[in-house]
Amino acid sequence: MPDTIASSMDLRRQLPGVTTLLDHPELQPWRQRHGDRLPIRAIRETLAHYRQRLSEGAADDIGDNRPEEIDLIAAIRVRLELLTRANTRPVFNLTGTVIHTNLGRSPLSEAAIEAVVQAARHPVALEYDLERGRRGDRDRLVEDLLIELTGAEAATVVNNNAAAVLLSLTALGAGREAVISRGEMIEIGGAFRMPDVMSAAGCRLVEVGATNRTHARDFSQALGDDSGLIVKAHTSNYAITGFTSSVPERELARIAHEHGIPFMIDLGSGALTDFRALGLPHEAQPSEAIAAGADLVTFSGDKLLGGPQAGIVVGKRELIARLKQHPLKRALRCDKLTLAALEATLRCYRDSDRPSRSLPTLSMLARDVATIGDQASRLKPSMQAALEGIAEVSCRDCRSQLGSGSLPVDRLDSRALVLHCPGSRDLSRLECVLRGLPRPVIGRVHEGALWLDLRCLDGDEEERRFVEQLDTLRPLWDRTA
Ligand SMILES: *Cc1c(COP(=O)(O)O)cnc(C)c1O
């Protein structure tokens, strides 16, 4: 038997046993917290890993002697930390996209968080009428607020805006024609494409006009006995510019009503406050769509509204009643946690003069570039110190985007920490290390460097947390060598 194999077998035999390791003082806090099952699993997996490496002849990596117990314990603790780390842990969104669908869109206000905690901990009158002492309707928790904020007659809420559109089209248009402009055949991402949603809802799609121009007469001519509704979709993630023309909402409402059918608008984002007051471009509000004569308006809860994921439908009482009675509504309804968060968010719009103070999404969007610039200068030295010999750090101007199909062409001036690495392999390694931090940092690769747009690092507390974990960067970097 060659010497090296013999010695690696010896080393494998010399690894301490599970019970010995389990009694190590450093593992006692884990046993107290979790019992023995989890620590034993971590010990077994770590030992298996060491045995594997020894049998692959990796004795050189591990050292010529049997692994020190202290190394084993450290490896077991790393494994325990990985095993107990939540998958839904917070990250730093420094991508420059404020409402980032892949990163969970809007963070909630403190009031909404508190409402979620209360609803999670206790029974709540979700579908219970406290005045009359009998069964109620869960929409009542938010319906009056939505009526007040949008000027609509009634409202209902489902899981997300895609569900709101599906429910509306199904309840109003199944088996009939849904008439829509060719310029609004939107794909929002994933499998949400207007033509597909219409077919899922059982509507026959009737496209009118051309991609760039649609006129009132295109709609009038397309309407017939089979028409179920006219649909307008907010082109929320692209813009058609140049030689364009579309039919104003007021006009579409008039045409629909002349034919005795409803007019529905999928607004997408749906801002509940005037964005111009925040120094931002104007974004269509549900109240404006209702005032223009729309019979149903759908929008998201977690885009510019800054609340939980939800799909809100506001509009005519009779139509909302049809939505509520449809079996799909039961399948698409939201839970008490969502409704609690949504109610608290809507109250903030109703009761506060400056909702941007308490709603993080609005506050991040409204941050001015000078504040972000000061922050970048403040953070640069710590970042440079943490990355000495790994990357060069500079502060650069950049442009944030709103994201999630809100104001697609508008960009907000912002400031970024830009990390330059000597080579592209180092850049990927750095990205990977930042994603491996206790609270992962997600940036954006642009022009061969990693850009950390600081717009969403809002507030002293967030900044402190960001700086605090920078000293764990180097050990992680060394481990990925
Ligand atoms: C975002 C969006 C949707 C989908 O909304 P979700 O809340 O993501 O389900 C539908 N229509 C438009 C116009 C949108 O912008």
Side-chain angles (χ1 to χ4, degrees):
M1 196 185 286
D3 275 3
T4 48
I5 296 184
S7 67
S8 93
M9 276 176 68
D10 288 345
L11 288 172
R12 272 181 281 162
R13 259 186 234 111
Q14 284 171 28
L15 286 171
V18 174
T19 30
T20 315
L21 289 166
L22 192 60
D23 285 335
H24 194 282
E26 288 226 33
L27 298 187
Q28 299 323 298
W30 289 92
R31 291 178 77 181
Q32 272 150 27
R33 221 175 308 145
H34 297 277
D36 284 355
R37 199 164 44 149
L38 191 76
I40 288 174
R41 174 175 171 179
I43 291 168
R44 289 216 171 105
E45 288 176 3
T46 308
L47 288 174
H49 173 73
Y50 269 84
R51 275 193 211 102
Q52 176 72 24
R53 284 178 60 190
L54 286 167
S55 69
E56 281 164 0
D60 286 353
D61 283 3
I62 294 177
D64 287 337
N65 304 310
R66 88 189 168 105
E68 294 285 343
E69 192 170 76
I70 191 76
D71 296 337
L72 265 174
I73 293 295
I76 292 164
R77 284 184 45 191
V78 168
R79 196 162 285 264
L80 276 167
E81 256 143 39
L82 286 178
L83 281 169
T84 50
R85 194 161 77 173
N87 293 332
T88 42
R89 66 189 181 284
V91 304
F92 286 105
N93 171 14
L94 305 188
T95 58
T97 300
V98 178
I99 307 174
H100 199 305
T101 299
N102 306 143
L103 301 179
R105 293 192 183 162
S106 292
L108 296 179
S109 65
E110 286 308 316
I113 293 166
E114 178 55 26
V116 170
V117 169
Q118 290 302 328
R121 187 168 286 143
H122 306 289
V124 289
L126 178 63
E127 285 185 351
Y128 186 79
D129 184 333
L130 286 169
E131 266 167 44
R132 299 198 186 84
R134 57 173 192 234
R135 193 175 186 286
D137 168 12
R138 67 178 64 200
D139 285 335
R140 294 304 303 172
L141 296 178
V142 291
E143 191 166 6
D144 286 343
L145 284 160
L146 285 166
I147 289 170
E148 213 176 312
L149 289 164
T150 64
E153 291 174 8
T156 186
V157 185
V158 287
N159 230 318
N160 50 34
N161 189 37
V165 174
L166 178 67
L167 174 63
S168 305
L169 289 173
T170 310
L172 305 188
R176 308 186 70 190
E177 290 170 354
V179 184
I180 183 169
S181 159
R182 215 163 244 126
E184 295 169 5
M185 283 292 113
I186 56 171
E187 172 183 310
I188 295 304
F192 190 89
R193 283 180 166 175
M194 199 45 101
D196 300 338
V197 177
M198 286 199 177
S199 74
C203 303
R204 284 194 305 285
L205 167 66
V206 176
E207 291 174 68
V208 300
T211 306
N212 57 332
R213 289 169 72 85
T214 306
H215 309 286
R217 62 173 184 279
D218 296 324
F219 282 94
S220 313
Q221 285 162 8
L223 293 182
D225 292 344
D226 281 348
S227 305
L229 73 165
I230 292 182
V231 179
K232 183 173 176 65
H234 194 49
T235 54
S236 53
N237 50 8
Y238 64 100
I240 296 181
T241 57
F243 183 54
T244 63
S245 157
S246 62
V247 187
E249 289 166 3
R250 202 170 288 283
E251 184 77 1
L252 284 176
R254 189 186 56 75
I255 297 170
H257 297 158
E258 266 174 22
H259 282 78
I261 58 172
F263 170 46
M264 155 185 167
I265 303 181
D266 173 18
L267 211 50
S269 216
L272 286 186
T273 184
D274 186 351
F275 269 55
R276 286 166 298 195
L278 300 172
L280 295 163
H282 176 255
E283 167 75 16
Q285 295 185 47
S287 55
E288 293 165 344
I290 292 290
D295 301 296
L296 278 191
V297 181
T298 65
F299 52 101
S300 288
D302 56 353
K303 292 185 181 172
L304 290 178
L305 200 150
Q309 180 189 301
I312 298 162
V313 195
V314 298
K316 292 271 155 58
R317 190 173 295 110
E318 184 264 328
L319 300 180
I320 295 286
R322 274 163 66 188
L323 264 54
K324 290 186 188 210
Q325 281 149 22
H326 197 281
L328 255 190
K329 169 72 199 323
R330 173 66 167 74
L332 301 175
R333 73 184 186 189
C334 11
D335 73 327
K336 62 175 180 172
L337 304 184
T338 302
L339 287 167
L342 184 59
E343 183 191 346
T345 308
L346 295 173
R347 279 187 189 281
C348 174
Y349 281 102
R350 194 196 60 181
D351 302 339
S352 156
D353 289 345
R354 291 188 41 198
S356 63
R357 278 212 192 136
S358 34
L359 295 169
T361 299
L362 297 191
S363 150
M364 291 186 294
L365 289 172
R367 281 185 89 195
D368 72 3
V369 62
T371 314
I372 306 173
D374 289 346
Q375 185 179 32
S377 314
R378 200 160 58 235
L379 288 176
K380 184 176 170 243
S382 339
M383 199 69 196
Q384 186 62 75
L387 291 174
E388 210 52 65
I390 300 173
E392 276 305 312
V393 182
S394 64
C395 295
R396 300 269 294 274
D397 287 336
C398 65
R399 313 263 277 158
S400 320
Q401 47 183 4
L402 284 80
S404 286
S406 311
L407 299 164
V409 277
D410 295 298
R411 294 280 187 280
L412 310 171
D413 287 332
S414 188
R415 196 87 171 141
L417 290 175
V418 183
L419 318 182
H420 307 264
C421 291
S424 64
R425 280 193 50 203
D426 286 336
L427 186 66
S428 330
R429 183 171 154 200
L430 180 58
E431 267 190 280
C432 184
V433 163
L434 288 172
R435 287 198 306 267
L437 288 170
R439 181 159 164 195
V441 173
I442 323 277
R444 181 169 53 98
V445 173
H446 175 60
E447 291 174 347
L450 184 58
W451 292 61
L452 307 180
D453 182 337
L454 297 179
R455 173 170 295 281
C456 294
L457 194 65
D458 194 6
D460 297 343
E461 189 61 19
E462 284 292 275
E463 185 174 319
R464 193 184 56 70
R465 290 203 189 103
F466 179 80
V467 174
E468 204 173 68
Q469 66 168 5
L470 286 181
D471 57 4
T472 58
L473 238 162
R474 189 167 300 274
L476 263 181
W477 176 267
D478 293 340
R479 219 185 297 159
T480 58

